[in-house]
């Protein structure tokens, strides 16, 4: 009996040791698992935010991270953000179009864009469309001005011819009346 009782005690002790067993790092199995989850999340968050910053270039700021301390005493990124300038380039629709294409690419750069990322991409699309409309309007106005410039000399010549025709007509009328008056 004592042998069987000894095996039971040893099994119980082994079970208790495994539950509270710490590794060489001083962490329990549950804590080591949590650290691995935090490391994986940290890599995912940093890759995500760095993709925004890298593609956004001059329009993106530096990533900032929401950190959480792990059971190992280290800090792990569990969230983050990158500021990005989505404002149009004042007075320059062509530059705005180029900028919004970069902003949209930056917003959608991560492997898994978030809902906020997709909202930024949609805002960039809206700003780009507005800039395209402004550019089309500017080009139309420029074409009309060019057409007016090209027609200008023709219109002036036509107006001069019209005035001359009126003068000639008036002159012929006057001469005709003058001849008639003298004949009478």
């Amino acid at each position: 009996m004592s042998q069987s009782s000894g095996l039971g005690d040893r099994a119980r002790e082994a079970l208790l040791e495994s539950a509270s067993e710490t590794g060489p790092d001083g962490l329990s199995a549950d804590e080591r698992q949590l650290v691995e989850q935090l490391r994986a999340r940290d890599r995912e968050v940093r890759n995500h935010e760095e993709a925004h910053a890298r593609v956004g270039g001059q329009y993106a700021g530096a990533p900032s991270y929401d950190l959480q301390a792990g059971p190992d005493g280290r800090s792990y990124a569990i969230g983050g953000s990158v500021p990005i300038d989505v404002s149009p380039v004042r007075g320059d629709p062509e530059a705005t179009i180029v900028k919004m294409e970069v902003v949209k690419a930056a917003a959608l750069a991560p492997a898994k864009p978030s809902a906020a990322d997709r909202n930024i991409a949609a805002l960039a699309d809206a700003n780009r469309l507005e800039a395209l409309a402004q550019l089309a309007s500017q080009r139309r106005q420029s074409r009309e001005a060019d057409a007016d410039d090209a027609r200008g000399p023709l219109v002036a010549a036509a107006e001069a011819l019209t005035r001359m025709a009126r003068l000639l007509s008036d002159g012929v009328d006057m001469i005709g009346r003058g001849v008639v008056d003298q004949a009478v």
Side-chain angles (χ1 to χ4, degrees):
M1 283 260 301
S2 69
Q3 199 174 24
S4 113
S5 164
L7 286 175
D9 288 339
R10 276 189 247 147
R12 191 173 333 127
E13 285 175 16
L15 183 61
L16 288 174
E17 279 182 37
S18 70
S20 65
E21 184 177 312
T22 58
D25 55 5
L27 300 176
S28 70
D30 288 344
E31 290 171 326
R32 279 192 298 280
Q33 183 180 8
L34 178 58
V35 166
E36 284 308 311
Q37 290 171 349
L38 286 170
R39 281 184 185 150
R41 178 67 180 151
D42 183 87
R43 278 189 303 274
E44 178 185 357
V45 167
R46 290 181 190 277
N47 287 339
H48 183 102
E49 301 307 336
E50 287 169 9
H52 288 312
R54 185 176 48 255
V55 175
Q58 66 181 344
Y59 306 118
S64 64
Y65 300 103
D66 302 323
L67 302 175
Q68 177 179 325
D72 59 352
R74 294 185 180 155
S75 294
Y76 296 95
I78 58 169
S81 63
V82 172
I84 191 154
D85 180 5
V86 295
S87 64
V89 178
R90 182 171 287 161
D92 192 345
E94 288 178 344
T96 298
I97 292 165
V98 170
K99 178 180 177 181
M100 292 306 122
E101 288 170 352
V102 171
V103 169
K104 180 179 180 179
L108 300 176
K112 296 178 184 177
S114 67
D117 297 339
R118 289 187 296 276
N119 287 341
I120 294 297
L123 178 58
D125 274 341
N127 287 344
R128 183 177 169 276
L129 289 174
E130 186 174 325
L132 282 168
Q134 289 173 356
L135 185 59
S137 176
Q138 285 178 356
R139 287 182 176 166
R140 185 175 47 257
Q141 289 172 355
S142 177
R143 280 192 310 272
E144 289 171 0
D146 289 347
D148 285 347
D149 289 347
R151 281 192 313 232
L154 294 176
V155 169
E159 288 172 351
L161 287 172
T162 302
R163 280 193 306 272
M164 287 173 40
R166 274 194 217 126
L167 287 173
L168 285 172
S169 173
D170 289 347
V172 167
D173 233 12
M174 291 169 79
I175 292 172
R177 272 185 274 146
V179 170
V180 171
D181 286 343
Q182 286 177 1
V184 175

